[in-house]
């Protein structure tokens, strides 16, 4: 297979690269050279090093590489908009390769932004062309996205992943939570409690620490109650996005499973798609839009 | 004035010392030698250095110095209990001084713990002997405490201060918040919204970042909306503690003002007491309980 283009998912923390032949993957590489650790002049040499041995073919990139703090700012496109990403060229074809970066999306009221997920939505529509409904993309900042007639209509972001990481990793609760998976039954109970009485869940946070100190609360149960509380708050706030809808969850396996379980417990029909598959399909759709602008 | 005892507020971060003559302060000293940075064998030499030049008089200490990770564990006393702290002696009179540490409190159902605030409650009762009602002690972990007939009946902890510090200091919102005071009107509006619809406030967190990016949201308004959301959730969850009650807020001035304003907006009669005054009065009451055990 001849490498004829390169797909790049260039986020805050990592750079993931695929040497592509049409829709086929020839080789995959991952580097911990995310946007967060790079100055603008670093991106071209990092890309050259990371693609060593690959031909001088076009690069299609998505993610925080296109933010104001990234390589070249790819300004936000307002929704509603077509689901195939708009591409912004990096001036000067660094390393002899045309490099294009997918633009993020903006919503003015209520204010919201995304950068990277727009490419996964394009991938969802590439893989399931008739998709009409809601996509939920759990992660550091979970996105709920309404898609209809091959357009992204509107979306809503929650900080659930970032809040969980801060509370579990740095608050006083860090002493009381397991590292690994949480208890599934305790998770669903916490989701249900947090949805029914969000304020009670707020009072339950320090209680995890106290139960751990006073009665040896199982750390896997504590972890499940924390994640269930946060995801329960999110589902309560996102009710208009999933009530009476079919939802496709796009994300990493373990986190997607939590969202799928929580939604299924509310009677919501849930499908799953891997974030890697969605990203690659979206970058492929973007690449094809360059080859065939019609 | 002759120094006849030493009061010590020895928390996670700081060590605050007062050379006392009865109820009068002879000299005050503060050091950044909190429990968090000390091993058990460090406490005696740190105290000796910090009290250099003061006579070999008894020391009464409160705070995390009495935790399992502190100098000597002062086990939790179960509530309900009298408001004057129980004191645990440090073996061996380090530096020739008898050192006693106030025991924290535990509540078994719902599980909760406090360490340090019990001394402030003792101070509240020393300064207002007829106090019967609710004390709110805002801080890293805010405590709501029900006091009746000179006993601590029960209490409830919220992680509001710690959550605010993590979100404002380390989440993506850190780019969007002012360092200083927040906007008072935006604060009260956010409290009211979060109390009425807690889940909507959860959806409003990332919106602070998006409004900052898209429409230049005033950082002082963003800060006020974040703190108002968290304090509003706390007030919603703590409603049984303040509804129809008089509340005394004991804490640092700026944070206490936020709680007093939020409670006053709910029609709650609020009094204020400084945490330093309460701590010193509580340590003084504990010292007197040693002199006169009746």
């Amino acid at each position: 297979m001849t490498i004829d283009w390169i797909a790049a998912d260039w986020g805050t923390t990592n750079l993931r690269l695929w040497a592509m032949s049409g829709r086929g993957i020839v080789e995959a590489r991952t580097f911990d050279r995310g946007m967060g650790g790079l100055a603008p002049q670093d991106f071209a040499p990092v890309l050259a090093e990371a693609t060593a041995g690959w031909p001088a073919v076009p690069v299609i990139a998505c993610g925080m590489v296109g933010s104001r703090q990234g390589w070249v700012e790819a300004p936000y496109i307002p929704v509603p908009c077509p689901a195939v990403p708009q591409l912004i060229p990096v001036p000067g074809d660094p390393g002899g390769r045309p490099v294009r970066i997918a633009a993020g999306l903006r919503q003015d009221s209520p204010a919201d932004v995304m950068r990277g997920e727009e490419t996964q939505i394009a991938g969802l529509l590439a893989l399931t062309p008739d998709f009409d409904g809601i996509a939920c993309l759990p992660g550091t900042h979970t996105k709920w996205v309404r898609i209809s007639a091959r357009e992204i209509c509107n979306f809503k972001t929650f900080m659930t992943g970032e809040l969980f990481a801060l509370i579990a990793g740095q608050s006083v609760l860090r002493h009381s939570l397991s590292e690994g998976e949480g208890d599934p039954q305790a998770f669903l109970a916490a989701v249900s409690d947090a949805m029914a009485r969000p304020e009670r869940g707020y009072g339950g946070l320090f209680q995890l620490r106290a139960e751990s100190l006073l009665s040896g609360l199982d750390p896997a149960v504590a972890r499940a109650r924390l994640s269930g509380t946060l995801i329960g708050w999110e589902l309560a706030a996102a009710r208009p996005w999933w009530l009476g809808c079919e939802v496709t969850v796009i994300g990493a396996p373990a986190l997607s499973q939590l969202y799928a379980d929580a939604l299924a417990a509310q009677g919501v029909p849930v499908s799953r798609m891997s974030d890697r598959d969605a990203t690659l399909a979206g970058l492929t759709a973007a690449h094809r839009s360059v080859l065939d602008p019609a």
Side-chain angles (χ1 to χ4, degrees), chain A residues 98-113:
Chain A
V99 178
R100 294 181 179 85
I101 300 177
L105 303 186
R106 66 185 281 168
Q107 175 177 281
D108 289 325
S109 180
D112 216 327
V113 291

Side-chain angles (χ1 to χ4, degrees), chain A residues 6-264:
Chain A
I6 294 168
D9 178 6
W10 206 333
T12 303
T13 312
N14 291 302
L15 166 61
R16 294 189 182 83
L17 289 169
W18 296 270
M20 302 292 291
S21 177
R23 297 174 185 281
I25 301 172
V26 180
E27 189 187 343
R29 297 177 180 174
T30 298
F31 304 87
D32 57 355
R33 303 303 302 272
M35 177 280 294
L38 301 180
Q41 68 275 15
D42 299 334
F43 288 87
V46 165
L47 182 65
E49 196 185 323
T51 56
W54 291 353
V57 291
V59 177
I60 308 287
C62 67
M64 293 303 285
V65 64
S67 68
R68 192 168 301 173
Q69 296 77 33
W71 191 354
V72 168
E73 185 178 4
Y76 296 113
I77 307 294
V79 292
C81 66
V84 174
Q86 288 204 25
L87 297 173
I88 306 298
V90 174
D93 290 1
R97 293 188 178 104
V99 178
R100 294 181 179 85
I101 300 177
L105 303 186
R106 66 185 281 168
Q107 175 177 281
D108 289 325
S109 180
D112 216 327
V113 291
M114 71 165 69
R115 196 178 282 287
E117 295 88 352
E118 75 294 328
T119 301
Q120 298 185 356
I121 301 295
L124 168 65
L125 280 166
L127 297 170
T128 53
D130 296 332
F131 185 89
D132 204 293
I134 302 294
C136 168
L137 299 94
T140 304
H141 298 149
T142 300
K143 309 283 179 186
W144 292 79
V145 186
R146 186 168 283 116
I147 298 147
S148 186
R150 303 188 65 76
E151 289 210 328
I152 296 177
C153 306
N154 53 2
F155 61 99
K156 175 75 189 164
T157 303
F158 295 92
M159 291 177 60
T160 301
E162 185 166 28
L163 291 176
F164 183 85
L166 285 173
I167 297 171
Q170 298 192 54
S171 84
V172 71
L173 298 189
R174 70 187 183 277
H175 307 297
S176 306
L177 305 183
S178 63
E179 289 287 328
E181 278 187 37
D183 177 271
Q185 208 169 343
F187 170 75
L188 286 178
V191 168
S192 172
D193 287 353
M195 290 183 69
R197 298 283 301 272
E199 73 282 8
R200 194 174 289 179
Y202 191 69
L205 295 180
F206 187 79
Q207 203 176 322
L208 298 176
R209 174 65 179 152
E211 285 187 33
S212 165
L213 283 170
L214 298 183
S215 53
L217 176 66
D218 178 348
V221 170
R223 183 182 183 86
R225 278 167 55 184
L226 175 61
S227 73
T229 299
L230 295 177
I231 290 175
W233 285 338
E234 180 176 329
L235 290 195
R239 200 182 297 267
W241 295 86
W242 53 260
L243 195 68
C245 297
E246 297 190 21
V247 175
T248 295
V249 177
I250 304 174
L255 184 60
S256 293
Q257 189 65 52
L258 291 179
Y259 276 79
D261 290 348
L263 284 165

